[in-house]
């Protein structure tokens, strides 16, 4: 009861959100929004069952992806979350196989019967599964995550054992860019080279970049040195530090208490605001012929709002919860879904893997190639020759991958036929 009273007293404090976020991995400097996002992931949304309406279970878990430069403490955050959650598994992408994540069939040494041994995702049911080096996972291991991250179940059919296991786990993943350093001129899909079908299942995608700013470097260095520096002589500083950060055990118990006791329900005002925010997000892109939000983004907002209400130990989701959820979601989108050409937020990067600008360029290039082919006298021309002619005539230098994609578009539209590296023009 004393513990419960302390939790209730804590939840009434106006700065509880900031204090809990600061207490999350205090040794890691700044990254406030990332810590807030992970904090909401630990609380999670409310479980809902729509099976009577034919919808099935509604995902309550929040998935987060951390991408960015090496040495920006991504792995340390993952390790901290793994230690904080009572039910959680930590795995590395390189050392994880598909069966290690899901389940494998083995023979019982005593009965000689086939038995099913569960893997990391099933073991972290109702917890967080931390996956480091997410970009280095094999394709087969990654394909398993599609079902887990949306349906929250794991279907298995192995050696005569057919079953569906619960895997209601939040996924916290960390990925490094392909070129080892983040290229700001490329989109998140090009940098990390993960399938967009998987990226769209993450509620929040944060970038952890090295700002290369002298003032930031100085502050970071001071912070790091202060961790190693002996502060026993200065009791005042130690007292303020202890007052600012909550004890790890207290944070652990607070999260567990909130998850068990509080089941927040959407209030009327919050519901109206969610609809309004979603319509605003849709409207933002429609003027430029882009889609800036899908229903999946609205579901993410609902989950984040519920998690924020649960963090306040409130049984009703209020306007402030929706406002914070929208702010956090927008900050994550600003970082991860920005078109490098226009500088605008383009959700198509995460849903289709390609920006609207890139798609327009692709269709223009296809038209240019078709015009070029029709100008040629012969009806059959080699791919190599076409690529050479295109770069000679055009003011821009085109990449081979873009050229191949445009040829594929033309072939799909029945303008050309490609056989043995030769292009045959139809209806010339």
């Amino acid at each position: 009861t004393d513990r419960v009273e302390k939790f209730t007293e804590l939840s009434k404090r106006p700065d509880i959100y900031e204090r809990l976020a600061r207490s999350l991995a205090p040794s890691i400097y700044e990254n406030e929004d990332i810590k807030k996002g992970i904090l909401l992931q630990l609380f999670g949304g409310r479980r809902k069952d729509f099976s009577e309406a034919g919808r099935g279970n509604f995902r309550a878990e929040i998935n987060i992806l951390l991408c960015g430069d090496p040495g920006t403490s991504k792995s340390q955050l993952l390790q901290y979350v793994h230690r904080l959650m009572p039910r959680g598994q930590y795995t590395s992408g390189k050392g994880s196989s598909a069966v290690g994540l899901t389940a494998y069939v083995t023979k019982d040494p005593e009965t000689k019967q086939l038995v099913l041994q569960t893997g990391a995702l099933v073991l972290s049911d109702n917890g967080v599964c931390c996956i480091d080096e997410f970009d280095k996972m094999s394709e087969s291991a990654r394909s398993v995550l599609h079902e887990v991250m949306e349906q929250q179940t794991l279907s298995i059919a192995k050696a005569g054992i057919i079953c569906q296991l619960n895997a209601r786990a939040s996924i916290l993943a960390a990925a490094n860019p392909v070129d080892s350093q983040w290229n700001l001129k490329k989109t998140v899909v090009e940098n990390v080279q993960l399938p967009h079908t998987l990226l769209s299942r993450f509620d929040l995608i944060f970038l952890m970049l090295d700002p290369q700013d002298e003032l930031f470097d100085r502050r970071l260095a001071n912070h790091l040195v202060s961790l190693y520096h002996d502060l026993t002589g200065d009791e005042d500083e130690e007292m303020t530090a202890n007052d600012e950060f909550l004890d790890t055990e207290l944070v652990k118990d607070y999260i567990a208490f909130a998850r068990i006791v509080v089941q927040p329900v959407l209030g009327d005002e919050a519901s109206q605001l969610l609809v309004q925010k979603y319509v605003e997000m849709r409207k933002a892109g429609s003027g430029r012929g882009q889609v800036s939000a899908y229903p999946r983004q609205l579901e993410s907002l609902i989950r984040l709002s519920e998690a924020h209400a649960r963090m306040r130990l409130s049984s009703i989701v209020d306007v402030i919860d929706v406002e914070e959820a929208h702010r956090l979601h927008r900050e994550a989108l600003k970082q991860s879904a920005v078109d490098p050409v226009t500088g605008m937020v383009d959700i198509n990067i995460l849903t289709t893997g390609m920006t609207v600008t890139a798609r327009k360029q692709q269709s223009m290039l296809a038209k240019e190639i078709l015009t070029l082919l029709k100008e040629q006298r012969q009806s059959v021309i080699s791919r190599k020759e076409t690529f050479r002619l295109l770069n000679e005539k055009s003011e821009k230098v085109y990449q081979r991958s873009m050229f191949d994609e445009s040829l594929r578009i033309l072939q799909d539209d029945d303008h050309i036929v490609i056989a043995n590296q030769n292009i045959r023009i139809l209806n010339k």
Side-chain angles (χ1 to χ4, degrees):
T1 52
D2 295 349
R3 204 75 163 154
V4 172
E5 279 173 24
K6 190 167 187 184
F7 293 153
T8 316
E9 187 193 320
L10 260 177
S11 67
K12 287 188 170 72
R13 292 186 66 147
D15 63 339
I16 178 67
Y17 185 40
E18 277 72 23
R19 284 193 73 184
L20 280 170
R22 277 200 300 269
S23 305
L24 207 72
S27 62
I28 295 168
Y29 182 64
E30 282 201 348
N31 294 321
E32 287 267 317
D33 283 337
I34 295 168
K35 286 182 182 180
K36 283 177 179 175
I38 292 171
L39 184 70
L40 294 187
Q41 181 187 36
L42 297 177
F43 283 100
R46 184 174 69 93
R47 288 241 168 85
K48 305 165 207 68
D49 188 10
F50 293 127
S51 49
E52 286 180 14
R55 167 78 201 266
N57 288 333
F58 183 89
R59 172 160 74 93
E61 277 68 31
I62 296 163
N63 299 320
I64 296 178
L65 176 66
L66 308 175
C67 324
D69 295 325
T72 46
S73 64
K74 296 189 292 293
S75 300
Q76 279 190 37
L77 265 171
L78 263 67
Q79 290 274 14
Y80 186 85
V81 170
H82 168 59
R83 286 197 298 272
L84 196 66
M85 286 302 279
R87 287 198 72 167
Q89 298 293 320
Y90 182 90
T91 172
S92 177
K94 198 75 177 165
S96 303
S97 63
V99 287
L101 287 173
T102 55
Y104 57 96
V105 175
T106 180
K107 245 183 191 173
D108 191 290
E110 290 176 6
T111 61
K112 299 288 185 271
Q113 292 282 317
L114 289 174
V115 289
L116 199 67
Q117 293 281 353
T118 51
L121 290 168
V122 183
L123 289 172
S124 53
D125 184 34
N126 288 324
V128 178
C129 186
C130 304
I131 306 172
D132 205 356
E133 308 286 352
F134 194 61
D135 51 311
K136 294 175 185 68
M137 277 177 96
S138 65
E139 201 59 50
S140 60
R142 218 184 281 140
S143 62
V144 167
L145 293 167
H146 284 82
E147 185 191 352
V148 172
M149 286 175 75
E150 203 54 66
Q151 276 74 42
Q152 301 281 281
T153 55
L154 204 58
S155 305
I156 283 162
K158 289 180 180 184
I161 298 171
I162 298 165
C163 60
Q164 198 173 44
L165 303 168
N166 280 330
R168 295 159 299 186
S170 301
I171 305 253
L172 177 61
N176 285 324
V178 178
D179 305 331
S180 78
Q181 195 171 10
W182 197 266
N183 188 345
L184 293 169
K185 292 180 181 175
K186 289 181 179 178
T187 64
V188 67
V189 176
E190 291 165 342
N191 265 308
V192 186
Q193 291 198 354
L194 288 170
H196 53 82
T197 48
L198 202 57
L199 283 176
S200 65
R201 280 170 164 78
F202 283 102
D203 297 279
L204 299 170
I205 299 176
F206 287 112
L207 297 191
M208 296 179 79
L209 304 182
D210 189 353
Q212 293 173 350
D213 170 55
E214 191 184 335
L215 188 64
F216 179 83
D217 294 344
R218 191 175 294 281
R219 283 180 185 162
L220 177 62
N222 281 333
H223 172 77
L224 275 174
V225 171
S226 72
L227 294 175
Y228 294 93
H229 186 52
D230 189 19
L231 288 171
T232 46
D234 204 337
E235 285 181 15
D236 293 339
E237 273 194 46
E238 208 169 297
M239 286 294 287
T240 52
N242 287 344
D243 185 50
E244 190 181 354
F245 302 126
L246 297 170
D247 180 40
T248 309
E249 285 302 314
L250 181 69
V251 174
K252 206 175 190 175
D253 293 349
Y254 186 88
I255 291 168
F257 175 76
R259 281 176 77 105
I260 295 164
V261 175
V262 186
Q263 301 299 330
V265 182
L266 281 174
D268 293 338
E269 286 183 21
S271 303
Q272 289 298 316
L273 189 61
L274 276 167
V275 172
Q276 188 189 322
K277 294 286 183 194
Y278 177 65
V279 172
E280 280 174 16
M281 283 162 76
R282 292 281 294 182
K283 207 185 282 181
S286 61
R288 304 190 302 273
Q290 296 176 359
V291 180
S292 52
Y294 285 97
R296 209 171 246 176
Q297 272 70 45
L298 177 59
E299 288 185 355
S300 292
L301 282 180
I302 294 168
R303 277 191 288 273
L304 290 165
S305 306
E306 287 174 348
H308 193 270
R310 188 175 263 177
M311 185 267 309
R312 297 186 298 115
L313 299 187
S314 165
S315 57
I316 292 173
V317 177
D318 222 327
V319 171
I320 54 164
D321 303 316
V322 178
E323 290 285 1
E324 174 55 26
H326 182 251
R327 186 198 68 79
L328 203 60
H329 192 263
R330 194 179 65 237
E331 284 300 316
L333 278 182
K334 266 189 205 167
Q335 292 180 11
S336 60
V338 169
D339 183 350
V341 179
T342 61
M344 302 282 191
V345 171
D346 186 357
I347 202 74
N348 284 290
I349 295 167
L350 304 180
T351 50
T352 62
M354 211 174 180
T355 64
V356 172
T357 319
R359 196 171 282 109
K360 281 179 184 169
Q361 284 179 350
Q362 198 80 67
S363 59
M364 281 170 70
L365 178 59
K367 282 178 187 172
E368 202 175 325
I369 292 169
L370 189 62
T371 313
L372 180 75
L373 290 169
K374 285 185 176 177
E375 284 172 3
Q376 304 307 310
R377 295 193 176 176
Q378 65 264 44
S379 58
V380 179
I381 186 168
S382 72
R383 275 172 94 137
K384 200 174 177 182
E385 183 66 18
T386 311
F387 186 59
R388 188 185 62 79
L389 285 168
L390 178 72
N391 279 332
E392 271 181 17
K393 283 200 167 189
S394 178
E395 292 171 7
K396 283 170 74 180
V397 176
Y398 290 107
Q399 297 283 335
R400 188 67 197 235
S401 57
M402 223 174 155
F403 170 74
D404 290 340
E405 186 61 30
S406 299
L407 286 183
R408 195 186 60 73
I409 292 167
L410 289 173
Q411 191 171 11
D412 289 348
D413 293 345
D414 293 332
H415 290 299
I416 59 168
V417 172
I418 301 168
N420 299 332
Q421 298 298 312
N422 288 327
I423 304 166
R424 182 184 291 276
I425 306 145
L426 302 173
N427 310 321
K428 191 173 178 184

